Amino acid sequence: MAFFTISIRPFLLVGLCAMTLTACSTAPKIDRIDAGTTTDLSGDWNDTDSRLVSEEMIQDALSRPWLMNFVRGNRQQPAVIVGEVRNLSHEHINVNTFVNDIERALINSGRVQFVASANERSEIREERRDQDIHAREDARNPAGRELGADFMLKGSINTIIDAIAKKQTRYYQVDLSLISLADNRKVWVGQKKIKKAIKNPQYRF
Amino acid sequence: MFPGQTRWLVLIVLSTCLSAGCVTYSLRQSDIYQALNNGDYAFALQVLETQKAGRRDRVLYQLNKAMLLRLSGDYLASNALLEEAKGTMQRLAATSITENITSVAVNEATRSYAGQPYEHLFLYVYKALNYLALSQPDSARVEMLQADVKIKEWLADKSLEGVKASAFMRYLSGLVFEMLGEWSDALIAYRKAHEIYRHNERSTPGFLQHDLLRLTAFQGLQDEHRMFQQLFGLEDWPAMQALQDNAELIVVHGQGFVSALQQQLIYSFSTELKHNVQIALPHYAEFYPSVVPVSVGIDQKWLQAGPVENLEQLVRDNLAARLPGITLRAVARVVVKKKLAAEARDEHFFAGVVADIAGLVTEVADTRSWLSLPANIQLLRVVLPPGEYRVRLPGHDRTERIIHLQAGEKKIISTHSSSTYH
């Protein structure tokens, strides 16, 4: 009978242990960093990276002489199309989100005209063919009036990862280049770097 | 002071014993394992889905289910589960304070299973193969890069026991890089695969010899090229131009399934107690099916695949590397249990008897492992002129497929057969 006598002390001990151990958080410790040093949220490429990189790179692209030279020579804004941006990183990055961010930054700048991508174009052409048959004549959009792009924006997202035990340094490099469709000249090359230090937890509860 | 502590420890041990079931993992999975070896993957999946995925064995549930889905051809669902398993493994990589305390008092199977190093590597391998089956080589490339980072993380981790390299993982990386036209990275991956074969004192497969010679020649690495030529004694291999003008068919075949760990009760001397104590250790049965060479039928010809990874040997090497640590911990655990039982007996005879029984019953070996991995992987890499081919693949139903190959294309097909077929 004495063996099963319950005292309050063990409960207090267990409670104290639980409180102490809860303090050992299992969430990863991540620091947002500058290209020279280190910092971030989850460690992986995220929407913030995508938005910041696209905005900064497009701003850089729009401030360079190729734009002024084109407007001066052609007396119109250049038409740009986003080509393939390859994910060469260590992560499954949704490149579509990044491409959408680039498109948004370009369109919102109001300084270049923007042409729909190859996939979007085929859908629009299909709709135009459908209009040809089903739409009223005055509301119909004929084929052959598309705006051809003057430049294609292409690029890649690369990473270099240095890892040891629970620590990791991730270096992202986004390279974009604007290529003239008339003569394959590269009129602008942009590069944005992000560096993050990630420390995974040593202990969990 | 001791009587109070002992009372609670006896209760903890008893309750943990009840919750753990005190039955080894491999025994609980015997129905699934048998269905796998009979080639009845649908039934194995059915049995697995009826099991409750316990918190401690969640990783194995995810890995096995992913593999069974893959064997059923559902590559998307398989990859979703492998990604979940990857996240679980990453979370469990941190040392659990409570689980470690429990494992000292009860047994190692009370810890959450975080996967052996080779299991981490094969998670990436199968995710990449799934992506290749889905015609997504870029995503397969991501998996191979992540596997490389994982190996880097392990370099400094002296506490990590087990085998931390896979020649096939390196070879597959090389293949993926080649598919994407990244010749330099492909050569680096092939070199690493070759180094692993050398380190394990196994001969470098013929197709890898060809790859090393082709890529060193293509990249103008004359000294290295001559060195490989002398080492392999080869005069002829498919040149880069031949590969670009023709197509390649690559068949990756998994044969059988790795052995399941079993429990073995042995006696080991305890310096602390000054007598032999009985401990439960995981072990593999001595005999296992040998590698049976498979062949692939291409139109009228039969071509034999070559062994690229002997996983059966790898899991056994992995256990051998871990066994000294497991044995040390098992002896220490039995000593703790014996001491607790003695202290309990001093307080109350009945408590001592209960503690002794609990100590014995809870001494269970950790027999957890990824059971649905193939026992060995064989590979056939053949250069073919562009065109249409009737291909008879290895497997229990000798699947026949009509395959169209285009110039410069590298087509990878994965197949599997249970141990009774080849």
Side-chain angles (χ1 to χ4, degrees), chain B residues 44 52 76 236 319 355:
Chain B
K52 198 177 153 201
L76 269 176
D236 194 31
L319 178 66

Side-chain angles (χ1 to χ4, degrees), chain A residues 58-126:
Chain A
I58 295 303
Q59 266 175 27
D60 179 60
L62 295 175
S63 65
R64 300 291 174 180
W66 70 272
L67 182 58
M68 194 59 78
N69 294 344
F70 184 88
V71 174
R72 202 179 294 135
N74 297 276
R75 300 199 174 178
Q76 63 175 32
Q77 289 179 335
V80 178
I81 187 169
V82 176
E84 191 189 15
V85 177
R86 267 195 88 191
N87 172 25
L88 298 173
S89 75
H90 292 69
E91 289 171 34
H92 292 284
I93 292 175
N94 188 344
V95 178
N96 291 337
T97 318
F98 182 62
V99 169
N100 289 344
D101 281 338
I102 291 173
E103 287 186 358
R104 190 179 52 80
L106 275 173
I107 293 166
N108 291 348
S109 76
R111 299 178 65 189
V112 295
Q113 297 184 69
F114 205 79
V115 177
S117 69
N119 283 345
E120 289 169 327
R121 282 202 305 274
S122 58
E123 193 185 344
I124 292 163
R125 282 170 191 159
E126 185 59 39

Side-chain angles (χ1 to χ4, degrees), chain B residues 195-246:
Chain B
E195 283 308 315
I196 296 170
Y197 286 121
R198 272 170 71 100
H199 181 261
N200 295 339
E201 292 172 354
R202 296 206 167 89
S203 57
T204 302
F207 42 81
L208 177 54
Q209 296 180 8
H210 290 171
D211 299 330
L212 287 165
L213 286 165
R214 182 181 69 251
L215 286 173
T216 46
F218 179 69
Q219 291 180 48
L221 303 169
Q222 288 166 359
D223 290 346
E224 194 179 6
H225 181 78
R226 266 194 296 275
M227 186 269 287
F228 281 132
Q229 214 175 344
Q230 276 175 0
L231 185 69
F232 303 141
L234 286 174
E235 290 298 326
D236 194 31
W237 56 89
M240 194 60 111
Q241 193 57 48
L243 260 59
Q244 284 163 357
D245 296 342
N246 293 290

Side-chain angles (χ1 to χ4, degrees), chain B residues 295-313:
Chain B
S295 48
V296 179
I298 300 173
D299 287 342
Q300 303 305 315
K301 279 187 196 163
W302 285 95
L303 302 169
Q304 195 172 303
V308 67
E309 187 82 88
N310 188 340
L311 270 133
E312 182 63 47
Q313 193 56 53

Side-chain angles (χ1 to χ4, degrees), chain B residues 7-27:
Chain B
R7 183 190 308 153
W8 285 97
L9 279 166
V10 168
L11 281 172
I12 289 167
V13 166
L14 271 173
S15 60
T16 316
C17 174
L18 286 171
S19 69
C22 296
V23 176
T24 63
Y25 174 81
S26 49
L27 212 59

Side-chain angles (χ1 to χ4, degrees), chain B residues 249-267:
Chain B
L249 177 66
I250 299 142
V251 179
V252 178
H253 181 73
Q255 187 177 60
F257 294 94
V258 287
S259 295
L261 278 166
Q262 296 170 3
Q263 176 173 279
Q264 185 181 37
L265 295 172
I266 64 154
Y267 285 94

Side-chain angles (χ1 to χ4, degrees), chain A residues 46-60:
Chain A
N46 57 24
D47 61 325
T48 314
D49 297 314
S50 177
R51 186 173 43 79
L52 290 177
V53 170
S54 59
E55 280 174 1
E56 281 186 36
M57 292 188 81
I58 295 303
Q59 266 175 27
D60 179 60

